[in-house]
Amino acid sequence: MASSTVISGVQGALLVLALLVFLGNIMMWIIMPTDTYHDKWLPHILADTNSTFFGIQGPIMLDFTFPILFIAAVGCIYLHLGKKRTSDSNIGRKKTAHKFGFLKRPMIVKGLGIVTLIELALFTMFIALDVWYFSYYVRYLFKQVPLLQIQRREQVWQTKFDRVALVFGLAGNVCLTFLFYPVTRGSSILPMWGLTSEGSIKYHTWLGHIAMTLFTIHGSLYIVYWTLTHRLSEMLKWDQHYIANVAGEIGLLCGLALWMTTYPTIRRKMFDLFFYTHYLYIPFMVFFILHTGIGFACIMLPGFYLFIIDRYLRFLQSRQKVRLVSARVLPCETVELNFSKSRALNYSPTSIMFINVPSISKLQWHPFTVTSNSNLEPERISVVINRRTLWTCSYEFSQVSLHPNCIITGS
């Protein structure tokens, strides 16, 4: 009991530490577009971090990259200690959880669906941050207009048009920074705050829509700007030391192709198209980094880095084969699949499980909602599948009960 109290105290300290670092990171996001950051803070940080090891991106790595990776490391320790709690601590933990249970209680919000107060607070904070970031960067960059207007020999409104187009791209980068956290299913960041990947996937969808809207406006405005100033040749510019326009255009085309297939009708009726075009995120990210440079890209790289690690770990997990215990056909053309599992695998009903049938495709992993309970069925995990898509209606899937070596992974 004493050891459980110590572990609980250490967990509380780690949670407070992670919260302080997170708030500090948010503060840097808030202050970044202001004169205070660019005129006072940045020169001092550059002087301390501009070395042969960190280079010019030292301030960004210190302000935006390190905090997120530090929180992820603290989260790993926090969750590991949570597993070491004895069963005697469950009573005290339930009392504590009851006090703050209202923060995780689901509620229906019109236009948003089912959310918790924690999710609603984080999403509201993000929208406020993006609006602040956009408005203050417009204010800051407009101060450059008089000098740029003279250097470029163009009208004032044209230079302001250019600055606004740039700010749309900067605001899109804020969305891109947070885009990968909800889909990093093995990350320690979400569960440390009481969130789940399946419950947060809607925020990945919303952030993707907002990011692509901003990036599309960013690219379109620059094409209009270059047309108005008779500089369309800028579209073919690939500056190795500044902004590579060609890389940005290729990245935007990849993003648009991916974005068009994410709408619900296309995703449900042509899941294969949705699935395979989603891999365009790889060239999109590569050309985004080439477009902005590694220094600026370090702002959004922590989330992408954690996502890549998660993908690799899931790849290793997917190499394990799981035995299909039974399958039965239910009314309304539905199929129940029951798989064997380890007693150590704990989950809650409505968790998401990804299933792959190699005889159909070794690449396709389809998400399904878990219908069993690990407390009531410790050695079995079940899903109920409605046969509506090409994948579930295929002959191979109808013979799935004859394939005991189908692969499964879940979160």
Side-chain angles (χ1 to χ4, degrees), residues 182-375:
V183 290
T184 308
R185 298 198 293 271
S187 170
S188 60
I189 294 179
L190 290 179
M192 183 169 58
W193 304 113
L195 304 174
T196 61
S197 178
E198 54 265 26
S200 305
I201 194 68
K202 54 181 171 290
Y203 301 108
H204 170 76
T205 304
W206 296 345
L207 287 172
H209 287 317
I210 298 172
M212 283 311 305
T213 299
L214 294 172
F215 286 142
T216 303
I217 295 174
H218 167 71
S220 302
L221 289 182
Y222 263 110
I223 293 175
V224 174
Y225 167 71
W226 290 327
T227 303
L228 293 173
T229 55
H230 308 288
R231 294 161 53 195
L232 271 176
S233 59
E234 290 285 335
M235 293 185 65
L236 304 178
K237 182 180 178 180
W238 191 305
D239 195 325
Q240 296 182 356
H241 303 288
Y242 190 52
I243 299 298
N245 294 334
V246 175
E249 292 153 11
I250 297 174
L252 180 59
L253 290 176
C254 293
L256 288 173
L258 185 156
W259 190 25
M260 287 188 294
T261 63
T262 59
Y263 287 93
T265 303
I266 297 177
R267 189 183 72 244
R268 292 192 183 100
K269 294 185 177 180
M270 295 180 284
F271 184 84
D272 290 353
L273 178 64
F274 162 80
F275 179 83
Y276 289 116
T277 54
H278 239 62
Y279 281 101
L280 287 172
Y281 79 87
I282 298 175
F284 173 82
M285 293 302 301
V286 170
F287 284 108
F288 173 84
I289 295 172
L290 292 175
H291 174 60
T292 62
I294 188 63
F296 186 77
C298 282
I299 296 177
M300 50 69 55
L301 278 181
F304 185 63
Y305 174 71
L306 294 175
F307 173 75
I308 293 298
I309 293 178
D310 177 67
R311 289 288 296 180
Y312 177 69
L313 294 177
R314 280 192 278 147
F315 168 75
L316 296 180
Q317 184 185 19
S318 69
R319 297 173 66 87
Q320 301 177 359
K321 296 183 179 180
V322 176
R323 185 168 62 92
L324 177 65
V325 177
S326 64
R328 59 174 180 160
V329 178
L330 301 177
C332 302
E333 297 188 4
T334 57
V335 178
E336 181 187 63
L337 302 181
N338 300 296
F339 300 92
S340 63
K341 78 171 188 70
S342 168
R343 285 179 171 267
L345 177 61
N346 295 317
Y347 57 88
S348 59
T350 72
S351 293
I352 300 297
M353 182 171 67
F354 284 76
I355 296 179
N356 169 267
V357 180
S359 58
I360 301 176
S361 172
K362 294 183 178 180
L363 298 177
Q364 292 186 26
W365 293 81
H366 290 256
F368 297 99
T369 303
V370 176
T371 57
S372 57
N373 189 310
S374 59
N375 295 325

Side-chain angles (χ1 to χ4, degrees), residues 49-93:
T49 60
N50 190 9
S51 64
T52 55
F53 182 77
F54 290 106
I56 195 68
Q57 63 266 23
I60 294 179
M61 294 181 66
L62 177 66
D63 297 337
F64 299 100
T65 306
F66 172 75
I68 298 302
L69 298 182
F70 179 78
I71 291 173
V74 170
C76 290
I77 301 174
Y78 175 88
L79 296 177
H80 179 71
L81 290 175
K83 293 181 180 179
K84 287 184 172 294
R85 284 190 181 184
T86 61
S87 58
D88 294 336
S89 66
N90 287 339
I91 298 175
R93 184 168 54 189

